[in-house]
Amino acid sequence: MAQKSTIYKVELSVSDMDRHYYETHKLTVAKHPSETDERMMLRLVAFSLNAHEQLELTKGLSTDDEPDIWQKSLSNELELWVTLGLPSEKVVRQSCGKANKVIVYSYGGKTAEVWWDKVKNNTTRFDNLHVINFADTDTRALEQLASRTMKLQVNIQDGDVMVSADENVVYLTPIKWKDTVR
């Protein structure tokens, strides 16, 4: 019998000083049985970094043809496609063809570095692609904040991210591996 997703209730307060975005989002997060707490928490950080009233968590791991997070325009065009992990070159190429802006948030330490060395030369033609890496130590610390009901405060300033839950605080420094100035 197939395992069901675990449901998490999240109150996510985002204070993004870089974009002047200040909002609280009430989210229901379905954590796929194969998804780790580390990855789920990174999804919430990715959501925070791109927070917008039309941003949505998708079915993610449950579906092959959807990103982890997306933002669609009122006319249903894909404005933003956010993927976590280490997607294949084919997935990156297809994503860049579907959305105006694609962001890959990679993590996993040395494995992520090997992945990027392998795919980076084939991504130079994509002006709409951004690749941002998180250090292994940062994301492992982040998973310690996971609980079925969470009140998270995410502060973003000068590109750095601070995530707090109760008295626990985790600092993350996103590293831009590929960034396009638009």
Side-chain angles (χ1 to χ4, degrees):
M1 185 173 195
Q3 291 182 334
K4 294 183 178 181
S5 294
T6 305
I7 302 300
Y8 288 73
K9 295 290 186 178
V10 182
E11 183 178 301
L12 182 67
S13 295
V14 179
S15 297
D16 187 338
M17 277 67 86
D18 297 345
R19 294 186 304 134
H20 304 290
Y21 181 90
Y22 310 95
E23 196 65 53
T24 298
H25 300 267
K26 294 197 184 287
L27 303 172
T28 300
V29 180
K31 183 180 136 194
H32 191 272
S34 67
E35 185 174 31
T36 63
D37 284 346
E38 175 185 31
R39 187 179 192 286
M40 180 196 63
M41 293 301 291
L42 193 55
R43 261 199 299 157
L44 294 171
V45 169
F47 186 96
S48 300
L49 287 166
N50 298 284
H52 185 276
E53 63 185 22
Q54 293 171 306
L55 194 66
E56 299 176 38
L57 294 169
T58 65
K59 295 176 185 170
L61 289 175
S62 301
T63 327
D64 290 336
D65 59 345
E66 286 184 5
D68 293 291
I69 301 167
W70 64 20
Q71 180 179 320
K72 291 184 177 183
S73 68
L74 296 175
S75 58
N76 212 29
E77 294 173 345
L78 270 170
E79 293 178 338
L80 177 64
W81 181 287
V82 178
T83 299
L84 274 64
L86 313 173
S88 68
E89 288 177 46
K90 178 182 176 185
V91 169
V92 170
R93 183 178 63 251
Q94 290 173 341
S95 303
C96 288
K98 292 178 183 178
N100 295 338
K101 181 177 181 182
V102 175
I103 304 175
V104 175
Y105 290 104
S106 63
Y107 64 101
K110 188 68 177 165
T111 306
E113 292 172 20
V114 169
W115 165 81
W116 181 237
D117 284 341
K118 180 182 171 192
V119 302
K120 70 179 168 186
N121 291 335
N122 293 327
T123 66
T124 55
R125 67 179 185 230
F126 302 118
D127 291 337
N128 61 337
L129 175 65
H130 304 262
V131 180
I132 299 168
N133 186 59
F134 287 98
D136 203 27
T137 52
D138 291 353
T139 58
R140 278 190 271 122
L142 192 61
E143 80 179 309
Q144 302 304 313
L145 301 179
S147 67
R148 295 284 298 274
T149 303
M150 293 182 268
K151 282 189 176 187
L152 298 175
Q153 173 65 45
V154 178
N155 295 317
I156 303 162
Q157 185 172 13
D158 298 329
D160 290 329
V161 181
M162 181 187 83
V163 182
S164 59
D166 300 320
E167 69 277 352
N168 301 311
V169 179
V170 174
Y171 296 93
L172 302 122
T173 302
I175 302 160
K176 294 179 180 177
W177 281 351
K178 180 176 178 13
D179 195 22
T180 307
V181 179
R182 281 193 173 206

